[in-house]
Amino acid sequence: MAAYGGAGSQAARRRTERAGQDGGVRRGGTTGRWRRRRGGPEAGRAASGGNGVAGKRRRRMEGGERLLPKGFPKLKNDTFLRAARGEETEHTPVWCMRQAGRYLPEFRETRAAQDFFATCRSPKLCCELTLQPLRRFPLDAAIIFSDILVVPQALGMEVVMVPGKGPTFTEPLKEVEDLLKLRQKVDVTAELGYVFQAITLTRHSLEGRVPLIGFSGAPWTLMSYMIEGGGSTTMSKAKSWLYRHPEASHRLLRLLADVVIDYLVGQVAAGAQALQLFESHAGHLGPEQFQEFALPYIRDIARAVKSKLKEEALPLVPMVSRGLPGLTLAPGGCGRGVHPLLPASPSLARGEGPDP
């Protein structure tokens, strides 16, 4: 478990251990069934990796020793990965996009201690928050706790989490000249290394129970946040950029795509076993806008990630997507899916369109 300080910390620890005893479940035998974990405090600590190999690894990390992205435990449940590759599975794999969230009291307890993005920059806390849902539910995958807006932060923009409002950019992009304020060359290891450390620590701490998913926002979704300054129901400012500044829009999208490529490859190098690309705001674009300002960069990311994984002798992990009209990207090879709210052409939705 992640270390806590103060009197309230011990209460948080006890609550988490009780969740491991009372709500923990695990796959039993070879039948694929789930059974409730029994036992006293030792069972709860085992669920959280307290005294096991994972607990020792995490204590090494807390002591200042950085775990290396190698020697990972053997994967015991590959249902999610097989489904992502288009293979038949014994059951439909289950995981949640917002797997770590406010529905968990232990999540609220952990998150209350510090700022949201400070939490994202703490590998120990990200690991803890990633593992929490797995102590309660029989999920088939874990998704690393992070946020898509760490990429604009890596470009030099300030993003804060405002209570009751959500993520807010203190100085959003307003004019083309503002692009000059962004870092044009981003060292993802220097700027986003904390995400890689969180992935490595979490992969070890999972002890092979389920695969670990890494992710990033896609260029158009990130661009829209950077211009709108936060969430928006219309994305009117961002869409206005596409019409008023098409060349500058492409420059920004290209910059974002290049950072996302290196970021995703770095996540695989750190231990991610699958990738997800979130084009959450694709539904705000019409078909022509999507074809010009979103899809080309998504395809470039898919091709470049696959190429770089091969060059660096890294696993060709599946890369699935959310928000794409009729496409599921797959460096490792998998099927297609359709998002019901997007302007997918019938032929593309049937799988007759070109591969990304």
Side-chain angles (χ1 to χ4, degrees):
M1 289 183 55
Y4 294 88
S9 324
Q10 299 302 319
R13 184 175 185 127
R14 287 193 294 272
R15 275 191 287 275
T16 307
E17 288 178 354
R18 284 199 295 272
Q21 297 168 39
D22 301 331
V25 288
R26 62 186 173 91
R27 191 175 297 279
T30 57
T31 63
R33 297 176 182 173
W34 292 91
R35 66 173 181 262
R36 189 168 297 276
R37 180 178 279 107
R38 303 291 183 184
E42 289 75 16
R45 283 192 290 273
S48 64
N51 292 327
V53 176
K56 293 177 181 177
R57 290 194 182 103
R58 297 182 71 185
R59 285 192 291 275
R60 283 166 51 201
M61 182 81 171
E62 291 166 4
E65 183 178 349
R66 181 177 299 179
L67 295 177
L68 298 176
K70 61 182 181 180
F72 293 121
K74 183 179 179 181
L75 183 62
K76 303 168 188 175
N77 176 3
D78 67 347
T79 305
F80 174 86
L81 297 181
R82 286 189 287 123
R85 292 191 293 264
E87 301 173 11
E88 290 191 11
T89 59
E90 296 78 12
H91 66 276
T92 301
V94 176
W95 69 279
C96 307
M97 186 183 74
R98 299 185 184 276
Q99 200 149 281
R102 287 171 289 182
Y103 68 98
L104 293 173
E106 56 267 38
F107 173 90
R108 297 195 300 270
E109 188 87 34
T110 307
R111 275 277 298 109
Q114 60 182 316
D115 169 74
F116 175 81
F117 285 108
T119 301
C120 290
R121 290 189 289 272
S122 168
K124 291 184 292 184
L125 289 178
C126 287
C127 176
E128 166 65 16
L129 292 172
T130 302
L131 295 177
Q132 284 178 352
L134 294 168
R135 298 183 189 131
R136 286 179 174 264
F137 310 114
L139 300 163
D140 292 291
I143 184 165
I144 192 67
F145 181 85
S146 186
D147 193 89
I148 65 172
L149 297 183
V150 299
V151 171
Q153 288 178 333
L155 288 167
M157 299 191 75
E158 183 180 13
V159 191
V160 296
M161 190 64 70
V162 178
K165 182 180 179 181
T168 302
F169 287 73
T170 56
E171 294 185 28
L173 303 177
K174 295 180 179 178
E175 303 297 336
V176 172
E177 292 74 20
D178 291 338
L179 296 181
L180 298 176
K181 301 177 183 178
L182 301 177
R183 293 189 181 100
Q184 300 304 304
K185 295 290 183 181
V186 176
D187 182 341
V188 295
T189 301
E191 300 298 332
L192 297 168
Y194 57 87
V195 178
F196 303 153
Q197 292 174 37
I199 288 173
T200 300
L201 176 60
T202 305
R203 175 78 185 276
H204 280 294
S205 299
L206 281 168
E207 295 188 302
R209 282 177 286 174
V210 294
L212 179 62
I213 305 170
F215 69 91
S216 174
W220 157 248
T221 293
L222 296 174
M223 173 183 171
S224 61
Y225 272 114
M226 293 162 70
I227 294 173
E228 295 288 342
S232 169
T233 57
T234 62
M235 299 296 159
S236 58
K237 295 177 184 177
K239 289 193 290 184
S240 176
W241 259 64
L242 303 181
Y243 288 108
R244 293 189 298 118
H245 312 300
E247 184 179 341
S249 295
H250 280 297
R251 289 207 313 270
L252 176 55
L253 291 164
R254 181 71 266 162
L255 174 62
L256 287 165
D258 290 343
V259 175
V260 168
I261 290 165
D262 290 342
Y263 182 41
L264 290 175
V265 172
Q267 291 185 45
V268 176
Q273 294 156 286
L275 298 171
Q276 183 156 20
L277 190 65
F278 288 95
E279 189 65 288
S280 308
H281 295 168
H284 290 279
L285 298 176
E288 285 119 12
Q289 287 179 316
F290 184 85
Q291 291 288 333
E292 180 177 355
F293 294 105
L295 188 58
Y297 298 98
I298 294 166
R299 284 177 168 162
D300 282 352
I301 290 170
R303 294 186 183 114
V305 168
K306 182 175 182 178
S307 176
K308 288 198 171 191
L309 291 178
K310 287 182 177 179
E311 288 174 7
E312 299 182 23
L314 292 169
L316 291 179
V317 304
M319 183 162 78
V320 297
S321 59
R322 176 183 182 272
L324 298 186
L327 292 176
T328 299
L329 306 176
C334 65
R336 296 177 179 269
V338 179
H339 193 293
L341 301 179
L342 296 173
S345 67
S347 61
L348 191 62
R350 288 194 297 267
E352 299 169 359
D355 290 328

